[in-house]
Amino acid sequence: MPDVPPLTKQDFQRLSHFRYQLRCFLRQSEDICREHGLTPLQYQLLLHLMGFEGREWASVGELAERLQAKHHGTVMLVDRCEQLSLVERRPGREDRRRIEVHLLPRGAELARCIAERHQPELRHLQEEFHLPGWPELSDEEA
């Protein structure tokens, strides 16, 4: 690529540090999920349903995009979560051919519990990287 300076040792150190901190967060997240009887992907599905912008449900395609997963793999994940009474499929309100995936009370409660357990590590990441768009931490929160 023309006009792109070569990476420096400092560039590699920053990338290494970022990947390390990200992996620490993910490992802790995996442990928290398993303590609550879920796989990390099951939790991510619940999280994306809780946090879907503008509505309380999502399509399988939208969830696949958020999970960066293949459609058929997301269908299987929704199947498993449905068997665990965490989510349910409903026909679309506007287009009956479109299936909506809705969070059930048990899934919402697990998502809340697990998300609360993630807050200390999120605060650590915020302090470490000064993430844009995140509110500043007050002394009581830190």
Side-chain angles (χ1 to χ4, degrees):
M1 294 188 329
D3 300 329
V4 177
L7 295 175
T8 66
K9 177 72 170 173
Q10 191 175 31
D11 292 325
F12 284 100
Q13 288 171 336
R14 271 193 301 270
L15 185 56
S16 171
H17 179 71
F18 173 76
R19 295 296 299 222
Y20 169 69
Q21 293 295 328
L22 181 60
R23 185 63 201 125
C24 287
F25 173 80
L26 291 173
R27 189 195 52 73
Q28 278 195 318
S29 178
E30 292 161 2
D31 292 345
I32 292 167
C33 292
R34 288 190 180 97
E35 287 171 15
H36 285 83
L38 294 181
T39 68
L41 275 177
Q42 289 168 336
Y43 167 65
Q44 287 177 55
L45 180 85
L46 303 179
L47 175 65
H48 292 313
L49 285 169
M50 286 281 287
F52 202 85
E53 191 170 337
R55 55 183 139 91
E56 300 299 313
W57 59 271
S59 70
V60 172
E62 291 166 332
L63 291 168
E65 170 61 25
R66 295 294 245 169
L67 294 166
Q68 290 292 289
K70 301 233 184 266
H71 188 273
H72 67 276
T74 304
V75 168
M76 292 170 43
L77 180 61
V78 170
D79 287 344
R80 182 71 182 124
C81 288
E82 200 168 33
Q83 291 168 359
L84 295 171
S85 300
L86 304 173
V87 303
E88 72 177 359
R89 289 179 174 93
R90 297 180 193 160
R93 294 172 204 159
E94 295 175 16
D95 181 351
R96 309 276 300 161
R97 295 170 297 176
R98 185 177 191 182
I99 300 299
E100 300 174 358
V101 181
H102 290 261
L103 202 54
L104 292 174
R106 181 169 182 265
E109 181 58 29
L110 276 170
R112 276 187 199 90
C113 289
I114 294 170
E116 286 172 7
R117 294 274 314 275
H118 280 83
Q119 295 311 297
E121 189 63 21
L122 281 174
R123 281 193 286 280
H124 171 74
L125 286 177
Q126 183 180 12
E127 292 166 2
E128 187 74 27
F129 295 112
H130 309 288
L131 299 173
W134 289 26
E136 289 298 316
L137 292 174
S138 67
D139 288 335
E140 305 91 55
E141 292 177 304

